[in-house]
Amino acid sequence: MLSARTVLTRTARLSNARLNSTLVVAEHDETKLAPITLNAITAAGKLGNDVSVLVTGANAQKVAEQVAKVNGVKRVLVAQDDKLKNNLPERVAPVVLASQKQFNFSAITAGSSAFGRGLIPRVAAKLDVSSISDITQVHSADSFTRTLYAGNAVKKVKSSAAVKLLTFRGTAFEPAKEGGSGAVEKAPSADIATDTSEFLGQELSKSERPDLATAKIVVSGGRGLKSGDNFKLIYELADKLGAGVGASRAAVDAGYVPNDMQVGQTGKIVAPELYIAIGISGAIQHLAGMKDSKTIVAINKDPDAPIFQVADIGLKADLFKAVPELTAALK
Ligand code: FAD
């Protein structure tokens, strides 16, 4: 039989556990939330706890209000401070740690982007636990599937850490939709050191085309295009389809296109509804960045090109003939 004291202790533990919540650290540009945070909120919801979101920045309040409307978000913590402008991981980490101290989250998470990958391991080190990156499936609160070698291998892992530090691969989870009404409150104050890192600037490429990482259709070109000028065939087709434009690393290395267009292991990971690979052989490092696309179309003159093994629709043809024909047919 349980003594009254034991029952009381258990009740206290249970209510403490119920207060536990998963924290998602939001990524944004001071005006709008990055789409990957919506994927991370969906993934965080699968851990079985309430979802809280921390929004840090010099203009965090506006983004916090957007986050509060996301389905499944119970609480939004806002840390608005000029020191947090551009959300340098060195400066966001103390805010996450202060929030952890106050709320005792059972998991601290973010999207697997440069932001999440810079922040989460840093927080993990401070909490003396390991972080798990690039999660593609959540099986339970402590068991996950993650990708290794940029998606060419998967591994199921179990974590016994008291607090799980996780990053989620955006393309593996649906974005959370609108429909929530989370409470917005101030994040606990933190000591943010400003002498260890400084934001010097960033160069963002501007494009009228949809963002490669989130476009529903992506048209990518490879070394088969033979020159940067010939990439206009890819742009014309993409513009007809309202698509984002990607490239293989060989095309980037040859200087045909800038490197922010690279898809693959060392480039962007995409999973659009439709991926059209043109003059791309289908090296494993390229496949790592696009093989989760819903429908893959390949145009290649070599019938043995490995891209045809993953393609749903393959066209063995000379791209210089087939692509203009395809673009014209879409008129
Ligand atoms: P190629 O392999 O040269 O293929 C060109 C294709 O075009 C061929 O299949 C050919 O049949 C076809 N072709 C040629 N002419 C025509 C025509 N007229 N009509 C139709 N088809 C034609 N690669 C990436 O893409 N992304 C990465 O992130 C990446 N990361 C890497 C990381 C590491 C560590 C390493 C070692 C490699 C990485 N690579 C990456 C490089 C990768 O191994 C390949 O070299 C690269 O993907 C090849 O690019 P490609 O398919 O455009 O070129």
Side-chain angles (χ1 to χ4, degrees), residues 149-150 221-226 247-253 256 262-269 275 277-290 299-308 315-323:
Y149 192 46
R223 182 148 46 195
L225 267 298
K226 296 193 170 56
S248 70
R249 177 158 151 182
V252 169
D253 287 351
Y256 303 169
Q262 184 178 318
V263 171
Q265 179 186 327
T266 43
K268 297 208 165 105
I269 310 284
Y275 187 88
I278 299 173
I280 292 179
S281 58
I284 194 159
Q285 296 89 355
H286 187 79
L287 302 186
M290 45 62 76
I299 302 176
N300 198 302
K301 67 177 183 185
D302 174 7
D304 297 324
I307 191 76
F308 286 129
L315 178 63
K316 184 200 146 295
D318 187 327
L319 71 90
F320 294 104
K321 185 167 180 297
V323 176

Short mmCIF file of all heavy atoms in Angstrom, two decimals, residues 149-150 221-226 247-253 256 262-269 275 277-290 299-308 315-323, ligand 1:
data_model
loop_
_atom_site.label_atom_id
_atom_site.label_comp_id
_atom_site.label_asym_id
_atom_site.label_seq_id
_atom_site.Cartn_x
_atom_site.Cartn_y
_atom_site.Cartn_z
N TYR A 149 24.76 11.27 -43.14
CA TYR A 149 25.39 11.45 -44.44
C TYR A 149 24.41 12.14 -45.39
O TYR A 149 24.12 11.67 -46.49
CB TYR A 149 25.85 10.10 -44.99
CG TYR A 149 26.76 10.23 -46.19
CD1 TYR A 149 27.80 11.14 -46.17
CD2 TYR A 149 26.56 9.46 -47.32
CE1 TYR A 149 28.62 11.29 -47.26
CE2 TYR A 149 27.38 9.59 -48.42
CZ TYR A 149 28.41 10.53 -48.38
OH TYR A 149 29.21 10.68 -49.48
N ALA A 150 23.84 13.21 -44.89
CA ALA A 150 22.93 14.05 -45.67
C ALA A 150 21.77 13.28 -46.29
O ALA A 150 21.33 13.56 -47.38
CB ALA A 150 23.70 14.81 -46.73
N GLY A 221 19.24 22.30 -63.10
CA GLY A 221 20.11 21.98 -64.23
C GLY A 221 21.47 21.51 -63.77
O GLY A 221 21.92 21.89 -62.68
N GLY A 222 22.12 20.71 -64.59
CA GLY A 222 23.43 20.17 -64.24
C GLY A 222 24.48 20.52 -65.27
O GLY A 222 24.29 21.40 -66.12
N ARG A 223 25.57 19.77 -65.20
CA ARG A 223 26.70 20.01 -66.10
C ARG A 223 26.30 19.81 -67.57
O ARG A 223 26.92 20.37 -68.48
CB ARG A 223 27.84 19.06 -65.73
CG ARG A 223 29.08 19.25 -66.56
CD ARG A 223 30.36 18.97 -65.82
NE ARG A 223 30.32 17.73 -65.03
CZ ARG A 223 31.20 17.45 -64.08
NH1 ARG A 223 32.17 18.29 -63.81
NH2 ARG A 223 31.11 16.33 -63.41
N GLY A 224 25.25 19.03 -67.77
CA GLY A 224 24.76 18.81 -69.14
C GLY A 224 24.37 20.09 -69.85
O GLY A 224 24.32 20.13 -71.08
N LEU A 225 24.12 21.17 -69.10
CA LEU A 225 23.76 22.45 -69.73
C LEU A 225 24.95 23.07 -70.47
O LEU A 225 24.79 23.91 -71.35
CB LEU A 225 23.25 23.43 -68.66
CG LEU A 225 21.74 23.50 -68.39
CD1 LEU A 225 20.97 23.94 -69.63
CD2 LEU A 225 21.18 22.21 -67.87
N LYS A 226 26.14 22.72 -70.05
CA LYS A 226 27.41 23.10 -70.70
C LYS A 226 27.85 24.57 -70.54
O LYS A 226 29.00 24.89 -70.80
CB LYS A 226 27.41 22.74 -72.19
CG LYS A 226 27.30 21.22 -72.37
CD LYS A 226 27.61 20.78 -73.76
CE LYS A 226 27.74 19.27 -73.85
NZ LYS A 226 26.59 18.51 -73.38
N ALA A 247 20.40 23.60 -58.97
CA ALA A 247 21.51 23.17 -59.82
C ALA A 247 22.30 22.07 -59.11
O ALA A 247 22.21 21.92 -57.89
CB ALA A 247 22.43 24.34 -60.12
N SER A 248 23.05 21.33 -59.90
CA SER A 248 23.97 20.35 -59.30
C SER A 248 25.24 21.08 -58.89
O SER A 248 25.49 22.22 -59.32
CB SER A 248 24.32 19.27 -60.32
OG SER A 248 25.14 19.84 -61.33
N ARG A 249 26.03 20.40 -58.10
CA ARG A 249 27.29 21.03 -57.68
C ARG A 249 28.24 21.22 -58.86
O ARG A 249 28.98 22.20 -58.93
CB ARG A 249 27.96 20.17 -56.61
CG ARG A 249 29.28 20.72 -56.18
CD ARG A 249 29.65 20.22 -54.83
NE ARG A 249 31.08 20.14 -54.68
CZ ARG A 249 31.67 19.70 -53.60
NH1 ARG A 249 30.95 19.26 -52.59
NH2 ARG A 249 32.97 19.66 -53.51
N ALA A 250 28.19 20.28 -59.81
CA ALA A 250 29.08 20.42 -60.97
C ALA A 250 28.75 21.71 -61.72
O ALA A 250 29.66 22.41 -62.19
CB ALA A 250 28.94 19.20 -61.88
N ALA A 251 27.45 22.04 -61.82
CA ALA A 251 27.05 23.26 -62.51
C ALA A 251 27.51 24.49 -61.73
O ALA A 251 27.93 25.49 -62.31
CB ALA A 251 25.54 23.29 -62.70
N VAL A 252 27.46 24.39 -60.40
CA VAL A 252 27.91 25.50 -59.55
C VAL A 252 29.44 25.65 -59.66
O VAL A 252 29.96 26.74 -59.88
CB VAL A 252 27.48 25.26 -58.08
CG1 VAL A 252 28.16 26.26 -57.15
CG2 VAL A 252 25.96 25.37 -57.95
N ASP A 253 30.13 24.52 -59.54
CA ASP A 253 31.59 24.56 -59.58
C ASP A 253 32.11 25.08 -60.92
O ASP A 253 33.16 25.71 -61.00
CB ASP A 253 32.18 23.16 -59.31
CG ASP A 253 32.05 22.77 -57.85
OD1 ASP A 253 31.68 23.65 -57.03
OD2 ASP A 253 32.31 21.59 -57.52
N TYR A 256 28.41 28.11 -63.71
CA TYR A 256 27.20 28.39 -64.50
C TYR A 256 26.21 29.22 -63.68
O TYR A 256 25.51 30.07 -64.21
CB TYR A 256 26.47 27.11 -64.93
CG TYR A 256 27.26 26.11 -65.75
CD1 TYR A 256 26.74 24.83 -65.98
CD2 TYR A 256 28.50 26.43 -66.31
CE1 TYR A 256 27.44 23.91 -66.73
CE2 TYR A 256 29.21 25.50 -67.05
CZ TYR A 256 28.68 24.24 -67.25
OH TYR A 256 29.36 23.31 -67.97
N GLN A 262 22.70 25.46 -55.28
CA GLN A 262 23.08 24.04 -55.24
C GLN A 262 22.13 23.20 -54.40
O GLN A 262 21.82 23.52 -53.26
CB GLN A 262 24.49 23.90 -54.67
CG GLN A 262 25.00 22.47 -54.70
CD GLN A 262 26.42 22.38 -54.17
OE1 GLN A 262 27.25 23.23 -54.50
NE2 GLN A 262 26.69 21.39 -53.35
N VAL A 263 21.73 22.08 -54.99
CA VAL A 263 20.87 21.12 -54.29
C VAL A 263 21.74 19.90 -53.98
O VAL A 263 22.48 19.44 -54.83
CB VAL A 263 19.68 20.71 -55.20
CG1 VAL A 263 18.91 19.54 -54.60
CG2 VAL A 263 18.76 21.89 -55.44
N GLY A 264 21.62 19.40 -52.76
CA GLY A 264 22.36 18.17 -52.46
C GLY A 264 22.97 18.15 -51.08
O GLY A 264 22.68 19.01 -50.24
N GLN A 265 23.82 17.19 -50.90
CA GLN A 265 24.44 16.95 -49.60
C GLN A 265 25.09 18.20 -49.03
O GLN A 265 24.96 18.48 -47.84
CB GLN A 265 25.50 15.87 -49.77
CG GLN A 265 26.24 15.53 -48.50
CD GLN A 265 27.37 14.57 -48.78
OE1 GLN A 265 27.26 13.73 -49.65
NE2 GLN A 265 28.44 14.67 -48.03
N THR A 266 25.79 18.93 -49.87
CA THR A 266 26.45 20.15 -49.39
C THR A 266 25.74 21.40 -49.89
O THR A 266 26.29 22.49 -49.86
CB THR A 266 27.94 20.15 -49.82
OG1 THR A 266 28.01 19.71 -51.18
CG2 THR A 266 28.75 19.22 -48.97
N GLY A 267 24.49 21.21 -50.34
CA GLY A 267 23.68 22.34 -50.78
C GLY A 267 22.36 22.34 -50.04
O GLY A 267 22.31 22.00 -48.86
N LYS A 268 21.30 22.68 -50.75
CA LYS A 268 19.99 22.74 -50.09
C LYS A 268 19.28 21.39 -50.16
O LYS A 268 19.47 20.63 -51.10
CB LYS A 268 19.13 23.81 -50.77
CG LYS A 268 19.75 25.20 -50.61
CD LYS A 268 18.71 26.29 -50.64
CE LYS A 268 19.29 27.59 -50.12
NZ LYS A 268 19.58 28.56 -51.15
N ILE A 269 18.45 21.16 -49.17
CA ILE A 269 17.62 19.95 -49.15
C ILE A 269 16.23 20.40 -49.58
O ILE A 269 15.65 21.30 -48.94
CB ILE A 269 17.52 19.35 -47.72
CG1 ILE A 269 18.90 19.19 -47.09
CG2 ILE A 269 16.72 18.06 -47.71
CD1 ILE A 269 19.72 18.06 -47.58
N TYR A 275 9.99 17.75 -58.96
CA TYR A 275 11.40 18.11 -59.16
C TYR A 275 11.81 17.67 -60.55
O TYR A 275 11.67 16.49 -60.90
CB TYR A 275 12.27 17.39 -58.11
CG TYR A 275 13.72 17.82 -58.12
CD1 TYR A 275 14.14 18.91 -57.35
CD2 TYR A 275 14.67 17.17 -58.91
CE1 TYR A 275 15.46 19.33 -57.36
CE2 TYR A 275 16.01 17.58 -58.92
CZ TYR A 275 16.40 18.66 -58.14
OH TYR A 275 17.71 19.08 -58.15
N ALA A 277 14.88 17.30 -63.04
CA ALA A 277 16.34 17.28 -63.11
C ALA A 277 16.75 17.21 -64.58
O ALA A 277 16.44 16.25 -65.27
CB ALA A 277 16.89 16.09 -62.35
N ILE A 278 17.46 18.24 -65.02
CA ILE A 278 17.81 18.32 -66.45
C ILE A 278 19.33 18.32 -66.62
O ILE A 278 20.02 19.17 -66.05
CB ILE A 278 17.19 19.60 -67.06
CG1 ILE A 278 15.66 19.54 -66.93
CG2 ILE A 278 17.60 19.75 -68.52
CD1 ILE A 278 14.93 20.81 -67.33
N GLY A 279 19.83 17.33 -67.34
CA GLY A 279 21.28 17.24 -67.56
C GLY A 279 22.03 17.02 -66.26
O GLY A 279 23.13 17.51 -66.05
N ILE A 280 21.39 16.25 -65.36
CA ILE A 280 21.99 15.91 -64.06
C ILE A 280 22.11 14.39 -64.00
O ILE A 280 21.13 13.68 -64.26
CB ILE A 280 21.11 16.43 -62.90
CG1 ILE A 280 21.12 17.96 -62.88
CG2 ILE A 280 21.55 15.86 -61.56
CD1 ILE A 280 20.26 18.60 -61.80
N SER A 281 23.31 13.90 -63.67
CA SER A 281 23.51 12.44 -63.72
C SER A 281 22.81 11.71 -62.58
O SER A 281 22.41 10.56 -62.73
CB SER A 281 25.01 12.12 -63.70
OG SER A 281 25.60 12.66 -62.52
N GLY A 282 22.69 12.36 -61.42
CA GLY A 282 22.04 11.69 -60.29
C GLY A 282 23.05 11.07 -59.34
O GLY A 282 22.82 9.99 -58.79
N ALA A 283 24.17 11.78 -59.12
CA ALA A 283 25.16 11.31 -58.14
C ALA A 283 24.50 11.27 -56.76
O ALA A 283 23.59 12.05 -56.48
CB ALA A 283 26.35 12.29 -58.11
N ILE A 284 25.00 10.35 -55.93
CA ILE A 284 24.37 10.13 -54.61
C ILE A 284 24.31 11.43 -53.80
O ILE A 284 23.34 11.69 -53.10
CB ILE A 284 25.10 9.00 -53.87
CG1 ILE A 284 24.27 8.55 -52.69
CG2 ILE A 284 26.51 9.36 -53.45
CD1 ILE A 284 24.62 7.16 -52.20
N GLN A 285 25.32 12.28 -53.96
CA GLN A 285 25.32 13.54 -53.20
C GLN A 285 24.23 14.49 -53.70
O GLN A 285 23.75 15.32 -52.95
CB GLN A 285 26.68 14.24 -53.29
CG GLN A 285 27.83 13.47 -52.68
CD GLN A 285 28.50 12.52 -53.66
OE1 GLN A 285 28.04 12.36 -54.79
NE2 GLN A 285 29.57 11.90 -53.23
N HIS A 286 23.87 14.38 -54.96
CA HIS A 286 22.76 15.22 -55.46
C HIS A 286 21.43 14.63 -54.96
O HIS A 286 20.56 15.37 -54.48
CB HIS A 286 22.77 15.31 -56.99
CG HIS A 286 21.75 16.29 -57.50
ND1 HIS A 286 21.97 17.64 -57.50
CD2 HIS A 286 20.48 16.12 -57.98
CE1 HIS A 286 20.89 18.27 -57.96
NE2 HIS A 286 19.97 17.37 -58.25
N LEU A 287 21.31 13.30 -55.06
CA LEU A 287 20.06 12.65 -54.63
C LEU A 287 19.77 12.96 -53.17
O LEU A 287 18.61 13.10 -52.77
CB LEU A 287 20.15 11.13 -54.82
CG LEU A 287 20.43 10.63 -56.25
CD1 LEU A 287 20.33 9.11 -56.30
CD2 LEU A 287 19.47 11.25 -57.26
N ALA A 288 20.83 13.09 -52.37
CA ALA A 288 20.64 13.38 -50.93
C ALA A 288 19.81 14.63 -50.71
O ALA A 288 19.15 14.76 -49.69
CB ALA A 288 22.00 13.54 -50.26
N GLY A 289 19.83 15.54 -51.68
CA GLY A 289 19.12 16.80 -51.49
C GLY A 289 17.75 16.85 -52.11
O GLY A 289 17.04 17.84 -51.91
N MET A 290 17.35 15.82 -52.88
CA MET A 290 16.07 15.95 -53.58
C MET A 290 15.26 14.66 -53.67
O MET A 290 14.17 14.66 -54.21
CB MET A 290 16.27 16.53 -55.00
CG MET A 290 17.38 15.97 -55.84
SD MET A 290 17.28 14.22 -56.25
CE MET A 290 16.03 14.22 -57.53
N ILE A 299 15.42 14.48 -67.30
CA ILE A 299 15.70 14.55 -68.74
C ILE A 299 17.21 14.38 -68.89
O ILE A 299 17.99 15.17 -68.34
CB ILE A 299 15.26 15.91 -69.35
CG1 ILE A 299 13.76 16.12 -69.11
CG2 ILE A 299 15.59 15.95 -70.85
CD1 ILE A 299 13.23 17.48 -69.58
N ASN A 300 17.60 13.33 -69.58
CA ASN A 300 19.03 13.03 -69.70
C ASN A 300 19.23 12.20 -70.97
O ASN A 300 18.39 11.37 -71.30
CB ASN A 300 19.51 12.23 -68.48
CG ASN A 300 21.02 12.25 -68.34
OD1 ASN A 300 21.74 11.84 -69.25
ND2 ASN A 300 21.49 12.74 -67.20
N LYS A 301 20.34 12.44 -71.66
CA LYS A 301 20.53 11.70 -72.92
C LYS A 301 21.14 10.31 -72.70
O LYS A 301 21.17 9.49 -73.61
CB LYS A 301 21.35 12.53 -73.90
CG LYS A 301 22.79 12.75 -73.49
CD LYS A 301 23.53 13.52 -74.57
CE LYS A 301 24.99 13.67 -74.17
NZ LYS A 301 25.77 14.49 -75.05
N ASP A 302 21.64 10.09 -71.48
CA ASP A 302 22.26 8.79 -71.18
C ASP A 302 21.25 7.87 -70.50
O ASP A 302 20.86 8.12 -69.35
CB ASP A 302 23.48 9.04 -70.27
CG ASP A 302 24.12 7.76 -69.79
OD1 ASP A 302 23.70 6.67 -70.25
OD2 ASP A 302 25.03 7.83 -68.94
N PRO A 303 20.84 6.79 -71.16
CA PRO A 303 19.82 5.92 -70.56
C PRO A 303 20.29 5.25 -69.27
O PRO A 303 19.47 4.82 -68.46
CB PRO A 303 19.54 4.87 -71.65
CG PRO A 303 20.73 4.92 -72.55
CD PRO A 303 21.29 6.30 -72.48
N ASP A 304 21.60 5.20 -69.07
CA ASP A 304 22.13 4.56 -67.85
C ASP A 304 22.38 5.56 -66.72
O ASP A 304 22.93 5.20 -65.68
CB ASP A 304 23.45 3.83 -68.17
CG ASP A 304 23.22 2.70 -69.16
OD1 ASP A 304 22.15 2.06 -69.07
OD2 ASP A 304 24.08 2.49 -70.03
N ALA A 305 22.02 6.80 -66.91
CA ALA A 305 22.26 7.81 -65.84
C ALA A 305 21.50 7.38 -64.59
O ALA A 305 20.32 7.02 -64.65
CB ALA A 305 21.80 9.19 -66.31
N PRO A 306 22.18 7.40 -63.43
CA PRO A 306 21.54 6.94 -62.18
C PRO A 306 20.27 7.71 -61.80
O PRO A 306 19.43 7.18 -61.08
CB PRO A 306 22.62 7.13 -61.12
CG PRO A 306 23.87 7.47 -61.82
CD PRO A 306 23.59 7.78 -63.25
N ILE A 307 20.13 8.92 -62.33
CA ILE A 307 18.94 9.72 -62.00
C ILE A 307 17.66 8.97 -62.41
O ILE A 307 16.62 9.10 -61.76
CB ILE A 307 19.01 11.13 -62.68
CG1 ILE A 307 17.93 12.08 -62.14
CG2 ILE A 307 18.92 11.05 -64.19
CD1 ILE A 307 18.18 12.65 -60.81
N PHE A 308 17.76 8.14 -63.46
CA PHE A 308 16.57 7.42 -63.92
C PHE A 308 16.10 6.37 -62.89
O PHE A 308 14.96 5.95 -62.90
CB PHE A 308 16.82 6.75 -65.28
CG PHE A 308 16.84 7.74 -66.42
CD1 PHE A 308 17.89 7.76 -67.34
CD2 PHE A 308 15.82 8.66 -66.59
CE1 PHE A 308 17.91 8.67 -68.39
CE2 PHE A 308 15.83 9.59 -67.64
CZ PHE A 308 16.88 9.59 -68.54
N LEU A 315 12.81 10.98 -69.30
CA LEU A 315 12.82 11.25 -70.73
C LEU A 315 14.26 11.15 -71.20
O LEU A 315 15.10 11.95 -70.81
CB LEU A 315 12.25 12.66 -71.01
CG LEU A 315 12.24 13.11 -72.46
CD1 LEU A 315 11.33 12.22 -73.32
CD2 LEU A 315 11.77 14.57 -72.56
N LYS A 316 14.53 10.13 -72.03
CA LYS A 316 15.88 10.01 -72.58
C LYS A 316 15.92 10.88 -73.83
O LYS A 316 15.31 10.54 -74.85
CB LYS A 316 16.18 8.54 -72.92
CG LYS A 316 17.59 8.32 -73.40
CD LYS A 316 17.72 7.03 -74.17
CE LYS A 316 18.72 7.09 -75.29
NZ LYS A 316 18.52 7.93 -76.42
N ALA A 317 16.56 12.02 -73.71
CA ALA A 317 16.56 12.96 -74.84
C ALA A 317 17.68 13.96 -74.67
O ALA A 317 18.23 14.13 -73.58
CB ALA A 317 15.22 13.70 -74.88
N ASP A 318 18.00 14.63 -75.79
CA ASP A 318 18.93 15.75 -75.74
C ASP A 318 18.20 16.95 -75.14
O ASP A 318 17.16 17.36 -75.67
CB ASP A 318 19.41 16.06 -77.17
CG ASP A 318 20.52 17.10 -77.18
OD1 ASP A 318 20.49 18.01 -76.30
OD2 ASP A 318 21.39 17.03 -78.05
N LEU A 319 18.72 17.46 -74.06
CA LEU A 319 18.01 18.55 -73.36
C LEU A 319 17.85 19.78 -74.24
O LEU A 319 16.88 20.53 -74.11
CB LEU A 319 18.70 18.89 -72.04
CG LEU A 319 20.05 19.60 -72.05
CD1 LEU A 319 19.89 21.12 -72.03
CD2 LEU A 319 20.85 19.18 -70.83
N PHE A 320 18.83 20.01 -75.15
CA PHE A 320 18.76 21.22 -75.97
C PHE A 320 17.59 21.18 -76.96
O PHE A 320 17.18 22.20 -77.48
CB PHE A 320 20.10 21.45 -76.70
CG PHE A 320 21.21 21.74 -75.72
CD1 PHE A 320 22.15 20.78 -75.40
CD2 PHE A 320 21.28 22.98 -75.09
CE1 PHE A 320 23.15 21.04 -74.47
CE2 PHE A 320 22.28 23.26 -74.17
CZ PHE A 320 23.21 22.28 -73.85
N LYS A 321 17.08 19.98 -77.17
CA LYS A 321 15.90 19.85 -78.02
C LYS A 321 14.64 19.73 -77.14
O LYS A 321 13.64 20.41 -77.35
CB LYS A 321 16.08 18.57 -78.88
CG LYS A 321 15.01 18.36 -79.91
CD LYS A 321 15.44 17.28 -80.90
CE LYS A 321 14.36 17.05 -81.96
NZ LYS A 321 13.12 16.56 -81.42
N ALA A 322 14.74 18.88 -76.13
CA ALA A 322 13.54 18.54 -75.34
C ALA A 322 13.05 19.72 -74.48
O ALA A 322 11.85 19.95 -74.37
CB ALA A 322 13.83 17.34 -74.44
N VAL A 323 13.97 20.47 -73.89
CA VAL A 323 13.54 21.52 -72.95
C VAL A 323 12.82 22.67 -73.67
O VAL A 323 11.73 23.05 -73.25
CB VAL A 323 14.72 21.99 -72.07
CG1 VAL A 323 14.29 23.14 -71.16
CG2 VAL A 323 15.25 20.84 -71.22
P1 FAD B 1 27.61 15.07 -64.37
O1 FAD B 1 27.77 13.95 -63.42
O2 FAD B 1 28.74 15.42 -65.27
O3 FAD B 1 26.32 14.73 -65.24
C1 FAD B 1 25.91 15.48 -66.34
C2 FAD B 1 24.75 14.72 -66.96
O4 FAD B 1 24.23 15.46 -68.04
C3 FAD B 1 25.14 13.34 -67.51
O5 FAD B 1 24.30 12.36 -66.94
C4 FAD B 1 24.92 13.46 -69.01
O6 FAD B 1 24.42 12.27 -69.58
C5 FAD B 1 23.88 14.56 -69.06
N1 FAD B 1 23.93 15.30 -70.33
C6 FAD B 1 25.01 15.85 -70.93
N2 FAD B 1 24.64 16.48 -72.05
C7 FAD B 1 23.31 16.32 -72.18
C8 FAD B 1 22.35 16.71 -73.15
N3 FAD B 1 22.71 17.44 -74.22
N4 FAD B 1 21.07 16.35 -72.96
C9 FAD B 1 20.69 15.61 -71.89
N5 FAD B 1 21.54 15.20 -70.94
C10 FAD B 1 22.85 15.56 -71.08
N6 FAD B 1 26.66 17.26 -56.14
C11 FAD B 1 25.49 17.93 -56.03
O7 FAD B 1 24.75 18.05 -57.03
N7 FAD B 1 25.12 18.49 -54.86
C12 FAD B 1 25.85 18.39 -53.75
O8 FAD B 1 25.47 18.94 -52.70
C13 FAD B 1 27.08 17.68 -53.79
N8 FAD B 1 27.86 17.53 -52.70
C14 FAD B 1 28.99 16.77 -52.79
C15 FAD B 1 29.74 16.53 -51.64
C16 FAD B 1 30.87 15.74 -51.72
C17 FAD B 1 31.66 15.49 -50.47
C18 FAD B 1 31.29 15.20 -52.95
C19 FAD B 1 32.50 14.34 -53.04
C20 FAD B 1 30.55 15.44 -54.08
C21 FAD B 1 29.41 16.25 -54.03
N9 FAD B 1 28.65 16.50 -55.18
C22 FAD B 1 27.46 17.14 -55.04
C23 FAD B 1 29.15 16.18 -56.53
C24 FAD B 1 28.55 14.93 -57.12
O9 FAD B 1 29.34 13.82 -56.75
C25 FAD B 1 28.54 15.00 -58.66
O10 FAD B 1 29.85 15.25 -59.12
C26 FAD B 1 27.62 16.08 -59.22
O11 FAD B 1 26.35 15.98 -58.63
C27 FAD B 1 27.52 15.89 -60.72
O12 FAD B 1 26.77 16.93 -61.26
P2 FAD B 1 26.02 16.72 -62.66
O13 FAD B 1 25.05 15.61 -62.53
O14 FAD B 1 25.49 18.04 -63.08
O15 FAD B 1 27.22 16.41 -63.63
#
